[in-house]
Amino acid sequence: MDGLDFPQLLALAAALGWASGVRLYLAVLLVGLAGWLGWVPLPTGLQALSHPVVLIVSGFLVFVEFFADKIPGLDSLWDMVHTVIRIPAGAALAASVFGADHAAMAVVAALVGGGFAATAHAAKATTRAAINTSPEPFTNVGASLAEDSLVPAGLWLALAHPLVFLVALVLVLVLSVWLIRKSWRFLRALVGRLTRIFSGRPDPGVAPAFSRAGRGNKSSGDLPHVQEDPDRQPR
């Protein structure tokens, strides 16, 4: 299959699906450059990535994304817009690894690659949105640089050590699901708190414990009540 054995093709399809959810344009640029420079014999379906026009456009988009992804707030807007781009692109790139000559594997790769892209994108978008609630920008920049490094490392590992990459990918996907759950719960609680503040309702962060949600249907009748003695004379 075009110079790559089956484990390498399988790992490459999985890597492209996952990387598309994190850094789509960087994944396209790196794979295209590897084919253009002759470092990797690209499958037929991916050879279009090494076309000079594709390299120029993907390189420009990598440049834009590199800076946009490191500005708090703008990175979340960028992620929101790319929700409709990264996932189908990940499915298409994964399917292109096998091409029309292996239609059944291409369909499977598209489904799996799209799922990996969706998981990676959701983990990235929710985690970065949660990080953006912090006033300091350094965590945001650090997370962005880590993503810049993980994508080329993952693509290299997929081709050099495909079985090791597949094991590592499983661990990364498990971590991604955990990050999605933690970040989503945090963001949902934050949105709920802001909604209460702007609607004029008490902020759960400062309200008394008995008035907080989740403590049951408590009302003023649940407050400790001291019954007055009818025989007590006022002083």
Side-chain angles (χ1 to χ4, degrees), residues 196-222:
R196 290 186 181 91
I197 291 174
F198 286 106
S199 64
R201 288 182 288 172
D203 179 4
V206 296
F210 55 79
S211 65
R212 291 187 180 181
R215 295 293 188 105
N217 296 326
K218 292 194 175 186
S219 63
S220 60
D222 295 319

Side-chain angles (χ1 to χ4, degrees), residues 22 30-31 65 82 87 108 134 155 166 197 203 217 219 230:
V22 182
L30 291 176
V31 173
E65 185 173 51
H82 280 76
I87 299 172
V108 173
S134 172
L155 291 172
L166 292 173
I197 291 174
D203 179 4
N217 296 326
S219 63

Side-chain angles (χ1 to χ4, degrees), residues 130-227:
I131 291 175
N132 284 338
T133 61
S134 172
E136 50 82 20
F138 304 106
T139 306
N140 183 291
V141 174
S144 181
L145 290 174
E147 294 166 3
D148 293 332
S149 303
L150 282 175
V151 168
L155 291 172
W156 171 83
L157 190 62
L159 293 171
H161 306 284
L163 297 181
V164 175
F165 169 78
L166 292 173
V167 173
L169 180 61
V170 172
L171 298 177
V172 169
L173 292 175
V174 171
L175 176 62
S176 297
V177 172
W178 180 81
L179 286 173
I180 292 170
R181 289 191 59 189
K182 295 289 289 186
S183 300
W184 177 250
R185 289 176 60 185
F186 172 78
L187 291 172
R188 187 174 61 179
L190 179 63
V191 171
R193 183 176 183 183
L194 292 175
T195 301
R196 290 186 181 91
I197 291 174
F198 286 106
S199 64
R201 288 182 288 172
D203 179 4
V206 296
F210 55 79
S211 65
R212 291 187 180 181
R215 295 293 188 105
N217 296 326
K218 292 194 175 186
S219 63
S220 60
D222 295 319
L223 295 174
H225 180 69
V226 179
Q227 184 176 3

